């Protein structure tokens, strides 16, 4: 068979480079020894999930801790699955969590010398290599229809055989030259398949960068490498792209282990040295007493939008994932509580070999700690970012007054105090926590423990003496002066010595004021709250709270 003539008939493009020329078009990167080149290569389907962030973080850390490059490639060979805006969503979502690319699709960078970074835009490169494989007798046209392939699959299933296009089932592998040209003349659609050189009788040991040595069976499937629309399959495209984008390390989910034999054979027939592969364990969660994979259908926390909408501190999500990625990160973080997580020496071989357990409660604890470290200015930026994207119109109006919010947050977060507040885990929770500082979201529940007369006397008499210029000691002295008017002890020590003589003590009077001002019996320093609210608003609340 004249393979060059066949290759020209199947791939008639006249403007293809010789495959060898692409080595000059995409030369090896000039990097320090040991520098890793990693990539995130999602399909543009519009759904970016926790697993993407998990892998992206591992990719980014491996690249940047070694002085390497982390790039974004879009694997859009399946046009049917494409969702508009999906690429921008990937970049935006990862930016939120502080994960940034050095180069790639939609990334402005002087390093963008290995593109295009969309696979559909690289069709000529793939076709040049398909043509070469046909010329070498390592690929051939397949004219089987979908119905014929379904029949083969059904027969294999019935006989309890491995499904696929191989061996005796690879019908078009045996076509003569005349049969091929007859089909082409008839206009029959075709795909190009790899003529596999492997045998399932042969096994070999493969070194996985995470899982260590694993036993792999050679590929014997004649997989499709070029679809009928002239676009390659993912398997073929990724092998060529990883070579010419000079990828050194591919981090991907363990579900890709079954494709490893195909990918290794593709690199071999193309004459490429494969990158190192590292297969991550699936993210798991406890469901009752059993462990299972996180599910898009069952678990809203799988979506990255879940964390953005709820307002988890982005660094907290990343730091928590670091504890999942590297088992020694948590110990390092405890010893270096104020250090940037990027200072940690990330190691790919420290990643777990089995299912990584995702614990949302532990993430919440990390988020509380991270939020507690924010200055009032940083906290404003964090909460305002959430408000502008997910808050109500009232929230947005409130956050327009930055100085007022800063005063509130300084109090609420305990900034400058001996003990920082550590019970706020999400932006949404923090925004709702300050609602009572605004009249349009102040929704008090006047659940007093005392009767109408006691409550009204305390509120009326404190209103008469309240002065916003008073410091805490003067403010409290005035409250002590009001307490005896309703039978409360002015001093806590008096009450403890003779509780039967009093209806309550000065702390009970403070509770009445607190409920009137904040709507709750618990709050930060009440004198400071009233100072932030101002005299007019504070007195109005004392008046409105009377029974």
């Amino acid at each position: 068979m004249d393979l060059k003539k066949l290759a020209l008939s199947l791939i008639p493009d006249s403007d293809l480079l010789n495959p060898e020329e692409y080595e000059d078009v995409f030369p090896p990167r000039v990097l320090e020894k040991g520098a890793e080149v990693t990539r995130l290569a999602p399909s543009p389907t519009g759904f970016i999930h926790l697993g993407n962030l998990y892998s992206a973080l591992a990719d980014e850390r491996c690249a940047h801790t070694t002085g390497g490059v982390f790039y974004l490639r879009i694997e859009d060979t399946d046009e049917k699955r494409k969702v508009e805006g999906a690429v921008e969503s990937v970049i935006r979502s990862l930016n939120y969590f502080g994960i940034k690319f050095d180069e790639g699709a939609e990334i402005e960078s002087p390093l963008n010398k290995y593109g295009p970074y969309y696979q559909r835009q690289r069709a000529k490169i793939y076709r040049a290599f398909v043509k070469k494989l046909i010329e070498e007798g390592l690929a051939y046209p397949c004219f089987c229809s979908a119905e014929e392939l379904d029949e083969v699959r059904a027969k294999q299933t019935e006989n309890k055989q491995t499904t696929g296009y191989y061996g005796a089932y690879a019908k078009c592998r045996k076509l003569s030259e005349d049969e091929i040209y007859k089909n082409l003349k008839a206009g029959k659609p075709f795909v190009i398949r790899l003529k596999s050189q492997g045998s399932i009788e042969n096994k070999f040991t493969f070194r996985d960068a995470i899982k260590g040595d694993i036993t792999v069976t050679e590929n014997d499937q004649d997989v499709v490498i070029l679809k009928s629309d002239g676009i390659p399959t993912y398997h073929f495209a990724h092998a060529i792209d990883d070579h010419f984008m000079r990828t050194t390390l591919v981090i991907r989910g363990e579900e890709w282990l079954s494709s490893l034999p195909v990918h290794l054979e593709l690199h071999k027939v193309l004459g490429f040295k494969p990158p190192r592969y590292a297969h991550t364990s699936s993210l798991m969660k406890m469901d009752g007493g059993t462990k299972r994979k996180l599910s898009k259908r069952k678990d809203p926390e799988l979506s990255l939008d879940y964390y953005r909408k709820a307002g988890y501190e982005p660094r907290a999500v990343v730091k928590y994932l670091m504890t999942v990625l590297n088992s020694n990160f948590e110990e390092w973080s405890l010893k270096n509580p104020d250090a940037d997580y990027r200072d940690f020496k990330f190691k790919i071989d420290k990643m777990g070999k089995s299912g990584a357990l995702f614990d949302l409660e532990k993430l919440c604890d990390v988020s509380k700690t991270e939020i507690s470290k924010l200055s009032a200015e940083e906290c404003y930026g964090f909460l305002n970012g959430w408000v502008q994207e997910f808050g109500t119109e009232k929230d947005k109006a409130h956050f327009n007054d930055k100085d007022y919010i800063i005063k509130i947050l300084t109090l609420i977060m305990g900034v400058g105090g001996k003990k920082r507040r550590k019970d706020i885990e999400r932006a949404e929770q923090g925004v709702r926590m300050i609602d009572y500082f605004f009249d349009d979201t102040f929704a008090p529940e006047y659940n007093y423990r005392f009767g109408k007369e006691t409550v009204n006397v305390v509120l009326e008499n404190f209103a008469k003496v309240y002065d916003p210029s008073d410091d805490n000691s003067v403010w409290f002295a005035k409250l002590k002066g009001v307490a005896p008017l309703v039978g409360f002890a002015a001093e806590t020590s008096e009450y403890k010595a003779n509780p039967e003589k009093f209806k309550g003590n000065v702390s009970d009077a403070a509770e009445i004021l607190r409920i009137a001002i904040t709507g709750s019996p618990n709050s930060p320093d009440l004198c400071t709250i009233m100072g932030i609210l101002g005299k007019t608003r504070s007195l109005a609340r004392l008046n409105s709270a009377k029974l």
Side-chain angles (χ1 to χ4, degrees), residues 126 129-130 133 225 232-241 266 270:
Y126 310 131
F129 279 90
V130 171
L133 291 181
I225 58 175
T233 57
Y234 160 77
H235 301 293
F236 190 67
H238 108 280
I240 291 174
D241 291 342
L266 284 169
L270 289 166

Side-chain angles (χ1 to χ4, degrees), residues 302-492:
L302 185 61
S303 169
L304 286 191
D305 281 344
Y306 171 85
Y307 302 95
R308 294 177 62 204
K309 288 178 182 177
Y312 283 92
E313 213 286 327
R315 283 174 297 186
V317 178
V318 170
K319 287 185 76 170
Y320 171 69
L321 286 178
M322 287 290 289
T323 68
V324 180
L325 285 166
N326 266 193
S327 57
N328 56 333
F329 176 79
E330 188 168 10
E331 181 182 355
W332 176 88
S333 186
L334 290 172
K335 290 179 180 177
N336 303 277
D338 297 320
D340 191 307
Y341 75 88
R342 296 176 182 86
D343 295 336
F344 172 74
K345 301 301 182 186
F346 183 85
K347 299 285 187 182
I348 189 73
D349 57 5
K350 289 287 186 181
M351 291 181 66
K353 294 178 173 61
S354 58
L357 187 61
F358 180 76
D359 185 344
L360 188 59
E361 287 186 18
K362 190 170 181 179
L363 167 58
C364 290
D365 288 339
V366 176
S367 190
K368 288 176 186 176
T369 299
E370 290 303 305
I371 290 174
S372 75
K373 294 177 183 178
L374 300 177
S375 66
E377 185 81 23
E378 289 170 332
C379 195
Y380 171 82
F382 168 55
L383 296 182
N384 187 49
W386 181 87
V387 162
Q388 297 310 316
E389 190 168 3
F390 302 108
T392 66
E393 291 306 312
K394 289 180 180 179
D395 292 334
K396 292 173 185 176
H398 296 167
F399 273 76
N400 282 336
D401 192 342
K402 181 178 178 179
D403 291 340
Y404 185 62
I405 296 286
I406 290 287
K407 288 179 184 178
I408 296 170
L409 294 176
T410 300
L411 171 66
I412 293 289
M413 300 303 296
V415 176
K418 293 181 179 179
K419 191 174 182 181
R420 295 295 300 268
R421 183 167 192 155
K422 289 189 176 181
D423 63 342
I424 300 174
E425 65 189 35
R426 297 174 289 108
E428 182 179 26
Q429 181 186 5
V431 171
R432 297 284 71 84
M433 199 170 283
I434 65 175
D435 274 346
Y436 66 84
F437 281 93
F438 304 91
D439 290 339
D440 58 356
T441 49
F442 177 50
E445 293 183 12
Y446 298 127
N447 294 324
Y448 299 114
R449 294 188 291 114
F450 300 94
K452 176 179 178 179
E453 183 178 350
T454 298
V455 169
N456 289 350
V457 169
V458 169
L459 297 179
E460 288 171 359
N461 283 277
F462 190 80
K464 292 175 184 177
V465 297
Y466 175 65
D467 186 334
S469 64
D470 292 340
D471 62 20
N472 268 32
S473 59
V474 175
W475 183 93
F476 195 55
K478 288 181 176 180
L479 182 60
K480 286 182 178 181
V482 171
L485 300 178
V486 291
F488 291 169
E491 300 290 343
T492 302

Side-chain angles (χ1 to χ4, degrees), residues 158-205:
E158 183 182 343
N159 294 335
K160 297 183 179 179
Q161 296 173 300
T162 301
T163 57
Y165 203 83
Y166 62 93
Y169 294 109
K171 172 185 171 184
C172 290
R173 182 174 181 151
K174 310 175 190 67
L175 291 178
S176 67
E177 189 172 11
D178 288 342
E179 288 173 316
I180 291 173
Y181 284 109
K182 183 178 179 181
N183 285 327
L184 289 176
K185 187 175 181 180
K188 289 188 70 172
F190 64 90
V191 298
I192 304 296
R193 289 185 181 273
L194 171 72
K195 185 178 285 187
S196 175
Q197 306 300 298
S199 168
I200 58 170
E201 302 300 321
N202 298 331
K203 298 183 185 298
F204 61 96
T205 300

Side-chain angles (χ1 to χ4, degrees), residues 60-132:
E60 186 271 339
R61 287 292 77 215
C62 282
H64 292 158
T65 56
T66 59
V69 174
F70 174 46
Y71 70 89
L72 175 64
R73 183 172 78 223
I74 303 301
E75 300 190 335
D76 58 346
T77 55
D78 189 346
E79 185 76 0
K80 296 176 183 176
R81 299 178 66 203
K82 184 178 179 181
V83 173
E84 288 300 320
V87 177
E88 291 76 11
S89 176
V90 169
I91 296 170
R92 185 173 59 252
S93 295
L94 293 183
N95 271 341
Y96 177 77
F97 293 100
I99 310 294
K100 299 187 184 300
F101 298 98
D102 300 305
E103 66 179 76
E106 308 302 325
I107 307 295
E108 292 186 11
S109 170
L111 297 178
N112 282 353
K113 299 174 182 178
Y114 292 85
Y117 295 92
Y118 288 86
Q119 287 185 327
R120 292 188 76 86
Q121 295 174 15
R122 299 170 66 85
K124 289 186 182 300
I125 304 174
Y126 310 131
R127 292 174 69 81
F129 279 90
V130 171
K131 189 173 184 179
K132 178 187 176 187

